[in-house]
Amino acid sequence: MSEKNKNLRVLVVGCGNMGASHATAYHTLDGFEICGLVSTGKSKEVLNDRLGGVYQLYTDFYEALAATKPDAVCISTYPDTHEEYAVKAFESGCHVFIEKPLADTVEGARRVAEAAEKARKKLLIGYILRYHPSWEKFIELSQGMGKPLVMRMNLNQQSSGSKWTVHKNLMKSLSPIVDCAVHYIDVMCQMTRSKPVQVYAIGARLTDEIPHWNYNYGQLQIRFDDGSVGWYEAGWGPMVSETAFFIKDVFGPKGAVSIVAKNASKAGQSDSIEAHSKTESLKVHHADLNDEGVFSKPDEWIDLTDEPDHQELCNREQRYFLKSIIEDLDLTNPTLDAINSLKIAFACDESVKTGKVVLLKD
């Protein structure tokens, strides 16, 4: 941090949905100071107006980095710029908060991690569900359901207008199951605490508005070495069905745990960023049968009082980012987890394109 004050001076790069949320956190939380907003389009002006019009605006990342000399850089741009921007930030002596995925290749993600280690600076990747108490409880309860686990998850988004534009831009570099699945692959790995051994995936290209090599619907299946299995599906676009678009469910020999988001899963909510992290209720089902062959326990409903909205989740991420810097926390394991989930997602992408089962290697 700068010697003049105790605030962490942050350069915000990318001012769309996630970048705006992180900038709002820096703007409102103690310990942070925004030293510049960067975007190639008009999103920086829109964001700056929302924040009071007090920040310096830049179109070019490298120009902004040289001009502001920040303590930290927040990267929420499209994935094909992540590696380049992050490595440059570390070489400039900055800490980095970066949105998932860490890079658009596994090798690139490893290079970012190596740059952080070489610079002795903090790297925190935006796995937002790790900061959500209901998701933490979901994972904890799943671990009490025995083995093997069956994990079923999806997030299909019927996007239109500006949100479809964002999705099309994302698909210039990555598919939905790479960009989105890293969250849920990470969750599955936490649930099983077991090694993924193979994946199989399918995909479909439902529009000519995306690159010929990409697809806007994908479904992946993962097999773990403890016998657990999981699937995840993601679809983007105006043609995507909103029927059963929000499924977060796991069951094992002892029962099941499900996220039931009654309001967030209603029609018209599938492309809502706010709805994506909503849990609202956890339903716990016990498989035990009594002597008469009927369930010995009724289903339980758990409504956690701490249900943060999307902005509060971003605030919590940034508080942890600041804490990791101030207290010099070791972020090696979360970084390795992020690389691992990305490696698995790209193996699924390979399976879509080859039509073959992909075995996962160390």
Side-chain angles (χ1 to χ4, degrees):
M1 298 187 192
S2 68
E3 296 178 359
K4 291 183 180 180
N5 57 55
K6 296 181 179 180
N7 287 342
L8 187 77
R9 298 178 64 255
V10 185
L11 179 65
V12 177
V13 190
C15 300
N17 288 325
M18 294 308 299
S21 295
H22 295 311
T24 300
Y26 300 136
H27 180 76
T28 57
L29 296 177
D30 291 338
F32 294 102
E33 176 186 332
I34 296 173
C35 60
L37 302 175
V38 186
S39 77
T40 55
K42 293 185 177 180
S43 59
K44 58 183 175 291
E45 283 91 351
V46 173
L47 175 58
N48 196 35
D49 288 344
R50 192 192 310 171
L51 299 179
V54 296
Y55 296 119
Q56 189 69 36
L57 305 182
Y58 299 90
T59 301
D60 182 79
F61 164 65
Y62 300 100
E63 176 188 337
L65 187 65
T68 61
K69 295 180 172 55
D71 302 310
V73 176
C74 172
I75 301 172
S76 302
T77 51
Y78 289 113
D80 56 359
T81 61
H82 283 192
E83 176 190 351
E84 185 179 338
Y85 287 2
V87 170
K88 182 63 177 177
F90 285 126
E91 290 175 347
S92 301
C94 303
H95 303 284
V96 172
F97 178 90
I98 190 167
E99 265 305 322
K100 59 79 193 167
L102 179 51
D104 61 352
T105 65
V106 177
E107 296 76 15
R110 291 190 178 117
R111 283 191 287 270
V112 173
E114 289 166 2
E117 186 176 1
K118 182 178 179 181
R120 296 185 179 181
K121 296 295 179 179
K122 300 304 176 186
L123 167 64
L124 188 64
I125 304 106
Y127 278 59
I128 197 169
L129 298 181
R130 288 189 168 217
Y131 303 85
H132 198 308
S134 296
W135 276 85
E136 291 176 311
K137 189 67 174 177
F138 181 42
I139 293 168
E140 176 192 330
L141 290 169
S142 73
Q143 293 168 345
M145 295 300 156
K147 293 287 188 74
L149 291 174
V150 175
M151 297 163 289
R152 309 185 301 166
M153 302 182 195
N154 74 0
L155 183 59
N156 292 301
Q157 299 179 55
Q158 189 183 89
S159 55
S160 60
S162 62
K163 291 176 181 176
W164 176 226
T165 299
V166 169
H167 282 154
K168 286 188 289 186
N169 285 333
L170 281 168
M171 286 185 285
K172 291 176 182 177
S173 57
L174 295 177
S175 68
I177 62 170
V178 174
D179 181 82
C180 252
V182 290
H183 278 306
Y184 303 100
I185 291 170
D186 183 52
V187 167
M188 291 181 193
C189 289
Q190 291 181 71
M191 285 179 166
T192 63
R193 292 179 177 163
S194 177
K195 179 186 174 186
V197 292
Q198 70 176 46
V199 300
Y200 179 68
I202 54 175
R205 184 174 180 267
L206 303 172
T207 174
D208 291 333
E209 293 186 67
I210 62 174
H212 67 89
W213 51 266
N214 210 345
Y215 49 95
N216 63 311
Y217 171 83
Q219 194 256 23
L220 61 88
Q221 300 175 0
I222 307 177
R223 187 184 301 276
F224 293 82
D225 67 3
D226 65 355
S228 296
V229 294
W231 62 255
Y232 175 77
E233 69 169 3
W236 294 343
M239 73 294 292
V240 171
S241 170
E242 285 196 321
T243 301
F245 70 82
F246 187 97
I247 298 170
K248 309 290 185 289
D249 184 52
V250 57
F251 56 92
K254 297 181 181 180
V257 188
S258 311
I259 290 178
V260 181
K262 299 184 185 74
N263 292 319
S265 60
K266 288 180 178 177
Q269 291 275 64
S270 67
D271 67 349
S272 166
I273 298 294
E274 179 66 41
H276 294 170
S277 56
K278 281 286 186 184
T279 55
E280 298 175 21
S281 297
L282 293 173
K283 183 181 181 181
V284 183
H285 167 69
H286 302 281
D288 292 335
L289 303 176
N290 63 21
D291 293 340
E292 298 176 352
V294 298
F295 292 117
S296 58
K297 294 181 181 179
D299 290 348
E300 298 175 54
W301 288 89
I302 299 174
D303 295 295
L304 297 185
T305 55
D306 185 8
E307 174 66 14
D309 62 14
H310 182 263
Q311 183 57 54
E312 174 56 22
L313 285 172
C314 292
N315 292 351
R316 293 180 185 194
E317 282 187 296
Q318 298 308 331
R319 288 191 193 104
Y320 187 75
F321 184 43
L322 185 62
K323 178 183 174 73
S324 73
I325 294 168
I326 293 172
E327 299 182 13
D328 192 24
L329 301 181
D330 185 356
L331 300 181
T332 302
N333 285 336
T335 299
L336 291 175
D337 288 345
I339 295 171
N340 183 54
S341 63
L342 187 61
K343 180 179 74 172
I344 297 166
F346 272 116
C348 295
D349 193 58
E350 178 186 344
S351 180
V352 171
K353 293 171 181 175
T354 63
K356 297 179 181 179
V357 170
V358 176
L359 301 179
L360 297 171
K361 301 176 183 178
D362 292 332

